[in-house]
Every structure is written in structure tokens, then in C-alpha cells.
């Protein structure tokens, strides 16, 4: 099946297996391995990507659902060599340890800020509640998201 | 110790490779791709105990792309041990690649190597295994029976040598107190599951294995011995690791991947599913702990005895050693004249248990901290006051190992924590609030310590090799395995600090056995303390070598040459400067010498790392839910090289500790031996909503040997959290719950019991 979609801003037309998990399609066919698998059942958030402006679990999404859509993965956050403010804040606030949850975490946070540029602490927590990070206590991650929102406000 | 102003050490500069991680550019093992790479899938067995008597693989071979199908009938019988981390170590050696004797539900019975994951998986499904079933011993109780089915030839039970100091039996004091604690199994839940790539080169006969491991040299020797290859031809490369918490300390699937690679002369990859990671890696032991103590009326401890029974699961692996180590950790926190520890390990027909962050500290500390909190209550003493009476002073003898506890600050941890957490005020407030109503408040605290090296369990050394490049930049090879917590960053800071060059000029490579000097592996919280010393010494020696070279060039004596900001100069001619770059170029071009240095350090001490945790909880008596409202961890780290990442570690300890105390448990069906939770969905962990905005406080008085005074932090962070939470819940409810985890149902049951007792009393 031929589908048309954009990935990280680029238009693509590809012959795909519509039943393939979007996660595998992203990793194996688009060769974007920043998106990770942690559980394969929508519970850990490691595979989070943004599809049509919403955070989705790519492990529970089929490739066919991409048709006509707009996909954004962690690789698409950096624009022309300039990191997204969320990425900058994740680095600045030391919110990155092993990094395996990081891409999913960033995408959940990005989806939140796209929809709600000025989230409260509660909203931040809820937006990333489905993203598990075993390396920390979420403090740095919450701070990073909050200061990214803060920075956007200033700009 | 006076605090010197450093350029990098003690500065929060984020993590090494954070840029690569936020852009998705960093490659983890499972992200590797190569033309012709093959994939392995594993078939899980369907009985808890029995024998494989037949395997029909014909269906599997019909699946396209299948290159090999392995079972116990066509693979070697060689025994190995996943827990062996060095070639000279003894270990139980009970495992085979595929054993005809199946010992737990889900144990691997076959594997397929194919061109794609899907083909390998489909072929696995088509393999038909024929079993003869034996009676199973699923619980420790069953396995301990005299007529229990034998899981291993030598029997199911292993008794550890008792650990003894003084004479507990004959000591006496006014109060004798007994308590029991229980810990369930939990899964490490590293976000990255196991992934191993193995490539065998037909031409050279070399095997390369990529794995996000903690013990590259240990894996190398296990593979060398298993495949009968010289160690020199086995290269193990540590890849970026997506978390471990102990599960990547053991050699679990490397043997299978390496065997397949060698057999097929191919490049193969195996990645565990989450289910496999839970059932076929290892879990944290389930442990029953019995404590008895003798304490004087004023709260001084005279003696303590602990008996521990650990469920090893189907294979002993590290459990005997884990069990002994627990006893060895008995004397790290308190001055106790009489100590006795007895440990028993029991094999059962269940998933294997093994290495977990803190290796026994978590278990033993939970046992005695639960106990001391009860004792303090019995004596009507504040738990902090009770501890202040008994904790070690700096340089006290640690009785079990006859080394000192080092420059440790237990008192300060307690006192500073008490103040910063406003312990007394909170305690009072909780007690006042708790008269009635739906919500009950409680505070709790606990104290712990851990190691900074392996010494003197065994010798401990660290090696490093540093090379100045001809542009003045520096490469440091050190056998490090960063778990993601920032040890590479710490090494870079140490090197840059000594060499007085920009952090960006320093590259620290992680372990690759083909180029690195020997290392035991990054466990026992030894990385910063030992490898950090090695890197520091190596850079210091290298600087001296460079100074001599600069003296030649500047026509002077080394003793007259000064060094500052990456430049040499003669004391009396401070304006004529020779950069590291010029020195290196001169060395190569004129002197025919490469500016490199290798250094080894050996551990002389193993300083303790006092750590106190204070917490406040709110218990909902209707739902049984516990909310952690606020908490504080105080750590005597010696010196925080990466303060930002140390705070992150503290957070992870709190998050995992909350899980251990309140919600995480992998249950096993007592009838079938099946692991009941093999996915994320039913496994409760503390998430971003649950973990409070914790506080972290560091005591930085400096260790005398550790690099810039640093000791350790990576494991101890989790240790005091569960007993502190247990104490807080008990403080809130007026209970003495010690059977973990304290899930809502456990709490509701306790409240019900309490109410029944009350109504009886009336
Ligand atoms: S892999 Fe998709 S949510 Fe865990
Ligand atoms: S950084 Fe390791 S899981 Fe989040």
C-alpha cells in the first residue's frame, strides 16, 4: 500500500505494510532509531511520537494510520542545527541520564506544549505520567518542561 | 576539609552525551543495524519442572529465512555461570545454553536464528517440544521439604557461612526484641531491555560482542571459556546502556548470541521483549528476614542477629554470594559489639533471582531499620535519638571486614536531616492530626550505608591509560561502564581538572576489552572511587611526563617548570609559554616519544557512604493508598563530582524505593510456578505524579583517597527509602507492617484488623 505523509517536515510517499507497527516502521524503514521500545503495549511511553499534533504510542499504532498524516519524531525536534527549547532545557536541567526514556519524554512534553503552551505543574505531571523514567525522580524532567514553557513565553 | 574552587569538579554540567540523547542520535545496542545481520528469537518452555524429551523442529525450518534452530539436542552441554564476573571466580556453574532439565516456567527451550525478527518468531512458534513433567517445588516451603523434588543434583538448599562478630548468643541486655520483614520480588525495569549483538569474523576467527553491560571483562572470559576461544580473540564492547540497576551485571544472553554468531559465522542480534526481561533476566530476590536484638534501657545496642532466607529461583547463580555479602554488610552503620548473621538460599522452580542495585544492602538494611524503628518505639525514644546513640564515628572499625568505615558522617546526616526536614515539628503535627478522619499522616526515617569499592571482599584496582594527542587534546581509556548516571562525565571532569584543559578537549572512552586495561566491572559502587582514582593518578603522572618533555624543549629542569591552564613555562620566564599541543608535537617530532601514561591504583580502603532518608506520607484509610507528600535524602558522598546528576540519582533511589515499599511486586503463581506479572501494565511503579519534589542534601567532607574526596552514591540512594516509608506508614496508622510491599489491600486489611481489635477491646 502506498501512503503519503510527512515525517519531521519532509513529504514522503512510500510503499508500506499498513499492519506493521508504526514503531517498527519508524525504526526499520525510516531508520529513525531515536524512538525506543520499552514495553510494546502502550504503558511506558518510550515509543511516544507526535502524529497529527497528538502524542501517540507508536507501539500501538499501525503504519497505515500514517496516511495523509504528519509525523514528528525526536529527530525532528532540532531545526537547522538549533535545538528545540525542550531539548535545551533537558540538557540544562540535567534531565538526561541513561537517555532511553528521553525521546518519548520529549515528545510527550512537546505535544503538551503544542496544545497548551503554559501548562501548570499539575498538567506537566499528567502529561508525562505515562512516560516511565527509571533513572531519576522526575524532578529534573518536570523542571525542564516547566522552564521550556517559561522560555517560550518570554520569546 | 577546605573546599577548593575547582573548574569542573563539583560543577553541574549536565550529562555526557546529553546532546546525543536528546536528539535521538545515540546508538544503543538494539539500534545497531548491519547488512546481513541475523536475528535471534527464543522459545519459552511451558512447564515449571521436567525434562525435554523431544523437539520437532521441522515446522520451524519451513519458515523462510531460518538459519539455525537450537535446542538441547544440538547445542553443547558446557556449563557456565551468568553471575561469574571474573575468570578466577568460583560460581555454582549450573547453567547450559539449553538444558534438557527444565527448572522454571518460561525457561528457554529453543531458539531460532533467522533473517528477520518476524521469521525467527514464527519459526519459534512452530517448534514442538515434548516434555516429561516432574513435580515442582514452587515455594521455598516446598523446596525445603525433605522429600522435595531435586531442582539440582546437589539439592535445593545452600547455607551461607555464618558471619559473626563478638558472641551474640552469650551477650545480654535488658530488652530483647524480635521482628520479621519480608521483601517480594521486583523487576529492575531498566527501560532498555537486554540487547546483544555478536559478530564472528570467519577470516580472523575473532568474535566481537556489543552489549550494554556492567562487566565487559567478565563476559569476555565467560564467552572465551564457553566457546573455547582465547580471550584475546573475544572482544566485548560496552554500548550505551539504557539503565541497569543490577540486571546488566550478569552474563545472561551473551552466551547464546555469541554461540550463534560463531556457529553461523555471522552477525546476530538478540533483543529481549519486556516479558523476557521480567521472566528470563533476573528478579530481585524475595527474602524473609528475622531479626533479634539485645538493647539496653538507654537505647545502646548490645547485639543483633539476623537470619535471612532468600529465594534464588531456579538457578543459584549469584545467590550464595549475595546471601553472604548481606551478612558482610551488617556492621556498616552501627557500633554493635555482637553480631551474627545466618543466611540460607533456596532454589525453587521459579524465575531466577539475582543481582540488584545495592547487592544486599537493601535487604539487610530494611531488616534492621524496620527493627530499630520498632525498638525505638518500644523504648519511647525518637528514632533519630536512638540512632544518634549507636551510629559509627568516622574511622570506626567496620567489624565484619576489619577495615575502617572511613571519613564518614553518620551523626551529621541525622542532625542535618532532622533540621532540614523539620522532623520534630512534622512528627508532632502528624500525631496531632491523626486523631480521626479519613487521612492519616506519618513520618518515618531510616539510615543506611554502602560500599565504595570491593575491598576487602577481594582486591580492587583501577587502571587508566591517557594519551595526549598532537593537538593537545586528551584521550582517556578507562574500563568504565556508564549506567547513564554520569560516570563518564565525572571522569572527564577529573581529567580536565588535573590537566587544566577544556572539558571539551577530553574524551573518555567506555570499556572495550580489546584496547582497555583490565577492569572488574562497574558494580559495588566502585566506579568513582576506584576508577576515578586511577584516572586522576594517570593524568597526574602524564602531566609529569609532559613537564619533563617541556623542560627539554625549554632547556630547563622539570623542577623549574610550572604548569597553568594547559601551558608550561619557566618560573623565571612566565611569558614564554609552551602549550600541551606544542609539547606533544615536540615529543613526537624531535624526541620520538608519544606522550601517554598508564596508571594503576589499588584500593586501600572502602569508605562507607552514610545516607539518611526522611519521609512524610498521607494514608487514605478508605482506599489504602499512600501518598508520599515530601521527603529528604541526606548523603555523605565525600564530594559530589556531578552534583546535578547526584541529585538525579537520589531521585531514582526515591522512585525505586517507593516502588519497593509501596507497590512493586512480581508475584508467582504458587500452584503453577508461572510468573504472574510479565508486563508493564500490571506492574505498578511510582511515576511523575507519585514521586514528590524531593529534597537532596549532600555532606561533602572529602574522603582521603577518593578523587577530589569523592566516595559513591549510585546504589545507596535506594537503600534507606523503603524502611523510612514503612516507618512512616506505621507511624500514620499505629501499625507494625513489615511485609512489603504495603499495597492498598495490605493497608486496608491492617486497618480492618485494627478496627476488629478495637471493637474486641470495647
Ligand atoms: S513501547 Fe510503546 S508505550 Fe512502551
Ligand atoms: S533516563 Fe534512564 S530511563 Fe529515563
Amino acid at each position: 500500500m502506498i501512503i503519503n505523509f510527512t515525517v519531521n517536515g519532509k513529504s514522503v510517499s512510500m510503499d508500506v505494510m499498513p499492519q506493521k507497527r508504526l514503531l517498527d516502521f519508524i525504526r526499520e524503514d525510516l531508520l529513525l532509531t531515536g524512538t525506543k521500545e520499552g514495553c510494546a503495549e502502550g504503558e511506558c511511553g518510550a515509543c511516544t511520537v507526535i502524529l497529527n499534533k497528538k502524542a501517540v504510542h507508536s507501539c500501538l499504532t499501525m503504519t497505515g494510520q500514517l496516511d495523509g498524516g504528519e509525523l514528528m519524531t525526536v529527530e525532528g525536534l532540532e531545526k537547522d542545527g538549533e535545538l528545540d527549547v525542550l531539548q535545551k532545557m533537558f540538557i540544562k536541567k540535567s534531565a538526561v541520564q541513561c537517555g532511553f526514556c528521553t525521546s518519548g519524554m520529549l515528545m510527550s512534553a512537546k505535544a503538551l506544549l503544542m496544545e497548551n503552551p503554559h501548562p501548570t505543574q499539575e498538567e506537566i505531571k499528567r502529561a508525562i505520567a505515562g512516560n516511565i523514567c527509571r533513572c531519576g525522580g522526575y524532578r529534573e524532567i518536570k523542571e525542564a518542561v516547566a522552564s521550556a514553557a517559561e522560555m517560550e513565553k518570554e520569546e | 576539609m577546605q573546599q577548593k574552587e575547582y573548574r569542573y569538579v563539583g560543577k553541574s554540567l549536565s550529562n555526557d552525551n546529553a546532546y546525543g540523547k536528546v536528539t535521538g542520535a545515540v546508538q544503543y545496542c538494539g539500534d545497531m543495524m548491519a547488512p546481513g545481520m541475523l536475528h535471534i528469537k527464543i522459545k519459552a518452555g511451558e512447564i515449571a519442572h521436567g525434562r525435554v524429551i523431544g523437539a520437532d523442529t521441522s515446522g520451524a525450518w519451513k519458515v523462510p529465512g531460518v538459519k539455525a534452530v537450537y535446542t538441547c539436542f544440538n547445542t553443547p552441554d558446557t556449563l557456565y555461570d551468568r553471575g561469574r564476573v571474573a575468570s578466577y571466580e568460583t560460581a555454582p556453574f549450573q547453567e547450559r545454553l539449553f538444558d534438557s532439565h527444565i527448572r522454571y516456567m518460561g525457561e528457554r527451550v529453543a531458539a531460532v536464528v533467522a533473517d528477520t525478527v518476524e521469521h525467527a518468531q514464527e519459526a519459534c512458534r512452530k517448534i514442538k517440544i515434548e516434555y516429561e513433567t516432574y513435580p515442582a517445588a514452587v515455594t521455598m516451603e516446598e523446596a525445603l521439604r525433605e522429600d522435595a523434588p531435586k531442582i539440582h543434583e546437589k539439592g535445593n538448599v545452600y547455607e551461607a557461612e555464618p558471619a559473626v562478630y563478638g558472641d551474640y548468643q552469650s551477650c545480654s541486655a535488658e530488652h530483647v526484641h524480635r521482628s520479621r520483614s519480608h521483601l517480594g520480588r521486583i523487576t529492575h525495569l531498566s527501560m532498555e531491555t537486554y540487547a546483544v549483538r555478536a559478530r564472528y569474523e570467519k577470516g580472523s576467527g575473532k568474535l566481537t560482542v556489543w552489549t550494554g553491560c556492567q562487566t565487559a571483562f567478565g563476559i569476555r572470559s565467560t564467552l572465551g571459556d564457553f566457546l573455547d576461544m582465547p580471550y584475546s580473540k573475544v572482544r566485548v564492547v560496552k554500548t550505551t546502556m539504557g539503565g541497569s540497576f543490577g540486571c546488566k551485571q550478569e552474563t545472561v544472553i551473551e552466551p547464546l548470541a555469541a554461540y550463534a554468531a560463531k556457529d553461523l559465522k555471522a552477525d546476530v542480534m538478540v533483543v529481549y521483549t519486556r516479558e523476557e526481561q521480567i521472566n528470563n533476566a533476573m528478579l530481585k530476590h524475595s527474602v524473609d528476614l528475622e531479626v533479634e536484638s539485645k538493647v539496653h534501657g538507654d537505647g545502646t545496642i548490645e547485639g543483633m542477629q539476623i537470619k535471612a532466607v532468600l529465594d534464588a529461583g531456579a538457578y543459584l547463580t549469584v545467590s550464595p554470594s549475595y546471601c553472604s555479602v548481606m551478612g558482610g554488610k551488617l556492621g556498616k552503620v552501627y557500633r554493635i559489639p555482637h553480631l551474627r548473621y545466618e543466611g540460607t538460599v533456596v532454589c525453587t522452580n521459579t524465575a531466577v533471582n539475582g543481582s540488584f542495585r545495592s547487592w544486599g544492602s537493601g535487604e539487610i538494611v530494611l531488616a534492621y531499620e524496620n527493627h530499630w524503628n520498632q525498638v525505638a518505639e518500644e523504648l519511647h525514644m525518637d528514632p533519630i535519638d536512638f540512632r544518634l546513640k549507636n551510629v559509627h564515628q568516622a574511622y570506626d572499625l567496620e567489624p565484619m571486614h576489619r577495615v575502617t568505615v572511613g571519613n564518614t558522617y553518620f551523626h551529621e546526616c541525622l542532625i542535618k536531616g532532622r533540621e532540614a526536614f523539620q522532623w520534630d515539628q512534622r512528627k508532632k503535627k502528624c500525631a496531632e492530626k491523626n486523631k480521626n478522619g479519613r487521612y492519616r499522616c506519618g513520618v518515618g526515617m531510616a539510615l543506611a550505608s554502602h560500599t565504595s569499592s570491593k575491598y576487602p571482599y577481594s582486591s580492587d584496582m583501577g587502571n587508566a591509560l591517557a594519551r595526549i594527542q598532537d593537538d593537545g587534546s586528551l584521550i582517556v581509556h578507562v574500563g568504565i561502564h556508564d549506567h547513564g548516571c554520569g560516570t563518564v562525565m565525572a571522569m572527564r571532569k577529573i581529567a580536565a581538572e588535573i590537566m587544566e584543559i577544556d572539558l571539551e578537549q577530553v574524551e573518555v572512552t567506555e570499556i572495550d576489552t580489546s584496547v582497555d586495561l583490565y577492569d572488574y566491572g562497574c558494580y559495588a559502587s566502585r566506579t568513582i572511587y576506584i576508577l576515578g582514582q586511577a584516572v586522576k593518578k594517570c593524568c597526574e603522572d602524564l602531566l609529569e611526563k609532559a613537564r619533563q618533555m617541556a623542560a627539554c624543549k625549554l632547556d630547563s629542569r622539570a623542577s623549574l617548570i610550572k604548569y597553568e591552564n594547559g601551558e608550561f613555562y619557566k618560573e623565571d620566564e612566565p611569558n614564554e609559554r609552551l602549550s600541551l599541543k606544542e609539547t606533544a608535537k615536540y615529543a613526537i617530532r624531535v624526541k620520538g616519544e608519544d606522550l601517554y601514561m598508564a596508571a594503576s591504583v589499588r584500593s586501600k580502603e572502602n569508605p562507607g557512604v552514610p545516607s539518611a532518608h526522611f519521609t512524610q506520607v498521607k494514608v487514605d484509610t478508605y482506599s489504602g493508598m499512600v501518598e508520599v507528600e515530601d521527603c529528604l535524602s541526606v548523603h555523605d558522598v565525600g564530594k559530589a563530582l556531578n552534583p546535578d546528576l547526584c541529585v538525579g540519582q537520589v531521585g531514582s533511589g526515591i522512585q525505586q524505593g517507593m516502588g519497593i515499599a509501596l507497590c512493586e511486586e512480581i508475584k508467582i503463581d504458587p500452584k503453577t510456578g508461572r510468573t504472574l506479572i510479565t508486563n508493564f501494565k500490571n506492574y505498578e511503579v511510582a511515576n511523575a505524579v507519585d514521586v514528590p519534589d524531593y529534597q537532596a542534601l549532600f555532606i561533602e567532607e572529602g574522603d582521603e583517597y577518593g578523587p577530589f574526596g569523592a566516595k559513591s552514591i549510585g546504589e545507596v540512594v535506594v537503600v534507606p527509602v523503603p524502611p523510612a516509608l514503612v516507618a512512616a506508614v506505621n507511624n500514620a496508622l499505629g501499625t507494625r507492617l513489615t511485609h512489603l510491599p504495603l499495597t492498598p489491600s495490605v493497608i486496608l486489611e491492617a486497618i480492618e484488623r485494627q478496627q476488629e481489635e478495637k471493637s474486641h477491646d470495647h
Side-chain angles (χ1 to χ4, degrees):
Chain A
M1 171 181 166
I2 307 263
I3 61 166
N4 298 295
F5 60 97
T6 67
V7 51
N8 299 331
K10 262 189 270 153
S11 303
V12 186
S13 180
M14 267 175 101
D15 193 358
V16 305
M17 287 192 296
Q19 296 306 320
K20 189 169 184 167
R21 292 192 309 170
L22 181 59
L23 172 60
D24 297 330
F25 176 74
I26 290 170
R27 292 175 54 85
E28 294 165 11
D29 300 280
L30 299 177
L31 302 178
L32 298 171
T33 54
T35 305
K36 306 295 183 210
E37 173 170 333
C39 71
E41 52 174 11
E43 295 289 331
C44 76
C47 68
T48 309
V49 295
I50 297 178
L51 181 57
N52 303 329
K53 307 210 160 44
K54 292 256 176 296
V56 299
H57 293 134
S58 62
C59 68
L60 295 183
T61 309
M62 296 296 141
T63 307
Q65 290 170 252
L66 201 53
D67 199 11
E70 225 179 89
L71 173 70
M72 184 170 164
T73 69
V74 69
E75 288 89 347
L77 284 174
E78 189 182 21
K79 296 246 157 57
D80 307 319
E82 168 95 13
L83 290 179
D84 185 274
V85 55
L86 270 168
Q87 293 173 305
K88 286 185 193 159
M89 288 303 116
F90 265 59
I91 296 176
K92 180 146 183 241
K93 298 284 172 184
S94 306
V96 182
Q97 290 202 48
C98 83
F100 209 79
C101 70
T102 305
S103 54
M105 203 63 92
L106 281 165
M107 299 320 277
S108 288
K110 182 72 186 172
L112 168 73
L113 296 191
M114 277 162 57
E115 204 189 298
N116 173 7
H118 311 302
T120 61
Q121 273 295 332
E122 263 323 294
E123 288 167 331
I124 292 175
K125 279 194 223 171
R126 257 180 283 135
I128 57 164
N131 290 78
I132 302 302
C133 172
R134 197 60 156 171
C135 294
Y138 301 98
R139 191 174 114 165
E140 296 75 16
I141 296 172
K142 289 184 280 188
E143 277 171 15
V145 180
S147 29
E150 203 52 40
M151 299 270 292
E152 299 261 43
K153 217 192 285 181
E154 280 163 26
E155 268 168 25
Chain B
M1 204 166 107
Q2 115 224 33
Q3 295 288 325
K4 195 182 147 199
E5 205 25 63
Y6 298 117
R7 298 171 186 227
Y8 303 113
V9 163
K11 296 269 178 343
S12 292
L13 303 172
S14 202
N15 209 344
D16 186 61
N17 224 340
Y19 172 79
K21 288 173 178 173
V22 297
T23 52
V26 164
Q27 211 177 36
Y28 297 78
C29 186
D31 298 334
M32 291 182 160
M33 291 176 203
M37 183 185 265
L38 302 175
H39 300 269
I40 303 181
K41 274 284 163 187
I42 297 164
K43 186 176 182 72
E46 281 136 35
I47 56 167
H49 197 198
R51 187 162 293 279
V52 173
I53 51 174
D56 177 0
T57 59
S58 55
W61 280 109
K62 292 201 186 97
V63 176
V66 170
K67 308 288 183 215
V69 181
Y70 299 126
T71 65
C72 62
F73 300 110
N74 64 352
T75 47
D77 219 18
T78 320
L79 289 164
Y80 67 93
D81 198 291
R82 60 165 78 187
R84 191 185 79 159
V85 290
S87 58
Y88 47 82
E89 257 190 7
T90 53
F93 290 103
Q94 295 173 328
E95 286 176 280
R96 294 184 167 86
L97 217 46
F98 298 94
D99 203 319
S100 58
H101 186 170
I102 299 302
R103 298 177 171 92
Y104 72 96
M105 183 73 84
E107 181 166 4
R108 70 175 173 235
V109 289
V112 173
V113 190
D115 58 347
T116 66
V117 176
E118 292 73 25
H119 286 152
Q121 198 146 27
E122 194 188 333
C124 269
R125 275 195 295 269
K126 301 233 155 106
I127 299 171
K128 291 200 188 86
I129 303 285
E130 207 185 322
Y131 303 99
E132 177 193 341
T133 49
Y134 301 159
V138 172
T139 61
M140 289 203 275
E141 205 190 331
E142 285 168 352
L144 281 164
R145 280 189 203 136
E146 227 158 84
D147 60 344
K150 265 195 177 177
I151 299 169
H152 295 281
E153 241 166 66
K154 284 191 188 154
N156 304 341
V157 184
Y158 171 89
E159 303 278 354
E161 185 73 25
V164 177
Y165 177 74
D167 182 359
Y168 179 77
Q169 248 67 15
S170 17
C171 79
S172 64
E174 302 88 282
H175 297 273
V176 176
H177 187 74
R178 292 185 187 88
S179 72
R180 279 167 184 277
S181 289
H182 170 85
L183 261 174
R185 295 180 195 227
I186 79 162
T187 176
H188 305 69
L189 212 77
S190 59
M191 288 303 291
E192 177 199 37
T193 57
Y194 283 157
V196 176
R197 175 188 175 192
R199 185 180 68 202
Y200 185 85
E201 282 161 45
K202 192 173 168 183
S204 61
K206 271 193 210 153
L207 173 73
T208 306
V209 174
W210 289 267
T211 166
C213 66
Q214 285 180 243
T215 55
F217 275 97
I219 292 170
R220 179 219 51 176
S221 36
T222 294
L223 296 180
D225 294 348
F226 181 70
L227 298 170
D228 198 17
M229 287 175 70
Y231 291 176
S232 55
K233 285 203 184 290
V234 181
R235 174 183 176 202
V236 177
V237 184
K238 188 257 175 196
T239 50
T240 301
M241 175 203 281
S244 169
F245 316 108
C247 73
K248 291 168 184 167
Q249 179 171 334
E250 300 184 23
T251 311
V252 176
I253 47 167
E254 287 85 354
L256 174 62
Y259 176 79
K262 183 166 181 250
D263 182 44
L264 299 169
K265 315 229 172 335
D267 193 347
V268 301
M269 174 76 89
V270 53
V271 180
Y272 258 8
T273 61
R274 180 57 59 183
E275 175 169 358
E276 288 169 327
Q277 187 68 26
I278 293 176
N279 205 41
N280 305 87
M282 82 287 290
L283 298 162
K284 178 178 166 73
H285 293 92
S286 135
V287 193
D288 287 315
L289 300 140
E290 246 183 72
V291 188
E292 187 189 288
S293 69
K294 298 175 185 169
V295 179
H296 295 289
D298 68 346
T300 312
I301 307 170
E302 185 63 33
M304 169 171 73
Q305 168 179 276
I306 299 189
K307 290 184 185 167
V309 188
L310 279 77
D311 187 340
Y315 292 91
L316 279 176
T317 71
V318 300
S319 294
S321 148
Y322 201 94
C323 180
S324 307
V325 165
M326 277 168 63
K329 288 176 174 166
L330 224 56
K332 287 197 175 294
V333 177
Y334 301 103
R335 289 178 155 172
I336 305 179
H338 305 282
L339 288 169
R340 182 175 176 87
Y341 170 82
E342 289 169 25
T344 308
V345 177
V346 185
C347 277
T348 56
N349 288 118
T350 60
V352 183
N353 295 328
S355 305
F356 191 93
R357 187 183 206 175
S358 93
W359 248 73
S361 284
E363 290 84 350
I364 210 75
V365 167
L366 178 86
Y368 67 65
E369 288 299 279
N370 281 350
H371 186 86
W372 298 137
N373 280 328
Q374 292 184 2
V375 170
E377 195 181 293
E378 301 261 304
L379 298 175
H380 305 292
M381 278 179 85
D382 179 272
I384 298 176
D385 292 331
F386 174 82
R387 287 172 172 85
L388 283 169
K389 258 199 160 4
N390 290 292
V391 288
H392 279 306
Q393 301 278 6
Y395 297 104
D396 268 3
L397 189 76
E398 192 264 87
M400 291 310 197
H401 298 109
R402 314 291 156 110
V403 289
T404 83
V405 296
N407 193 23
T408 46
Y409 292 81
F410 286 100
H411 281 91
E412 286 70 9
C413 277
L414 291 168
I415 290 164
K416 289 209 165 134
R418 172 178 234 160
E419 200 185 295
F421 196 64
Q422 299 191 298
W423 169 262
D424 298 288
Q425 295 89 318
R426 281 177 193 259
K427 197 170 97 174
K428 213 167 129 216
K429 256 203 205 131
C430 285
E432 281 162 10
K433 264 203 264 178
N434 276 353
K435 300 282 172 325
N436 40 39
R438 174 173 174 177
Y439 297 101
R440 306 280 163 79
C441 279
V443 287
M445 59 82 50
L447 188 62
S449 184
H450 191 62
T451 57
S452 300
S453 96
K454 294 198 303 152
Y455 181 81
Y457 303 96
S458 65
S459 62
D460 200 349
M461 71 166 167
N463 299 310
L465 171 66
R467 301 152 49 204
I468 300 177
Q469 306 299 290
D470 36 339
D471 65 349
S473 63
L474 183 77
I475 300 177
V476 181
H477 301 275
V478 55
I480 194 172
H481 311 65
D482 196 331
H483 298 205
C485 51
T487 48
V488 165
M489 185 51 133
M491 298 301 152
R492 284 178 60 203
K493 286 179 183 170
I494 292 170
E497 196 72 55
I498 299 295
M499 301 301 288
E500 299 186 38
I501 56 177
D502 199 276
L503 196 63
E504 285 309 309
Q505 298 289 310
V506 180
E507 181 64 21
V508 169
T509 62
E510 287 193 74
I511 196 159
D512 172 341
T513 59
S514 69
V515 294
D516 274 309
L517 300 170
Y518 189 81
D519 189 65
Y520 299 107
C522 289
Y523 52 87
S525 287
R526 58 184 285 282
T527 308
I528 294 298
Y529 186 70
I530 301 291
L531 299 183
Q533 286 185 53
V535 168
K536 183 162 178 277
K537 169 143 200 319
C538 184
C539 290
E540 284 163 351
D541 293 353
L542 180 58
L543 197 58
E544 281 324 298
K545 186 166 169 182
R547 191 191 305 273
Q548 275 161 20
M549 195 55 70
C552 279
K553 173 78 168 117
L554 297 172
D555 232 345
S556 177
R557 283 207 314 272
S559 58
L560 302 176
I561 300 289
K562 298 266 165 223
Y563 184 71
E564 196 179 69
N565 294 329
E567 291 173 331
F568 293 106
Y569 60 93
K570 280 196 269 189
E571 212 168 2
D572 49 355
E573 277 176 65
N575 290 328
E576 198 193 321
R577 303 253 164 170
L578 187 72
S579 67
L580 268 188
K581 172 178 170 174
E582 287 156 338
T583 312
K585 280 204 160 98
Y586 170 77
I588 296 172
R589 188 168 54 87
V590 181
K591 290 295 195 180
E593 242 189 87
D594 191 3
L595 284 182
Y596 72 90
M597 182 60 68
S600 293
V601 296
R602 221 162 299 137
S603 185
K604 300 176 203 66
E605 291 291 343
N606 183 353
V609 278
S611 146
H613 188 71
F614 304 82
T615 189
Q616 179 172 335
V617 301
K618 185 164 104 187
V619 185
D620 182 344
T621 56
Y622 290 5
S623 68
M625 296 286 285
V626 176
E627 185 192 329
V628 181
E629 292 192 302
D630 202 358
C631 63
L632 161 74
S633 279
V634 188
H635 288 277
D636 168 7
V637 290
K639 172 82 189 163
L641 303 181
N642 302 323
D644 49 343
L645 298 169
C646 285
V647 174
Q649 292 271 310
V650 171
S652 114
I654 290 167
Q655 171 258 120
Q656 264 184 8
M658 284 173 65
I660 293 172
L662 303 174
C663 51
E664 293 184 35
E665 185 174 20
I666 300 282
K667 285 208 171 107
I668 308 278
D669 183 338
K671 288 207 185 72
T672 61
R674 193 178 288 282
T675 303
L676 289 172
I677 294 177
T678 53
N679 58 13
F680 243 94
K681 199 173 281 164
N682 302 316
Y683 192 69
E684 290 288 327
V685 295
N687 67 14
V689 175
D690 307 319
V691 181
D693 288 325
Y694 63 93
Q695 311 165 53
L697 205 72
F698 299 121
I699 292 174
E700 300 182 87
E701 291 297 331
D703 175 77
E704 67 189 284
Y705 299 106
F708 300 97
K711 299 192 285 191
S712 81
I713 187 158
E715 297 184 272
V716 73
V717 287
V718 68
V719 180
V721 180
L725 280 164
V726 168
V729 171
N730 286 327
N731 178 246
L733 297 175
T735 47
R736 282 212 175 153
L737 301 172
T738 50
H739 196 283
L740 273 48
L742 305 180
T743 57
S745 65
V746 170
I747 287 175
L748 288 179
E749 221 176 275
I751 294 172
E752 238 170 72
R753 254 199 325 267
Q754 227 176 15
Q755 278 160 353
E756 269 170 32
E757 278 162 26
K758 261 192 210 147
S759 61
H760 279 304
D761 291 349
H762 286 297

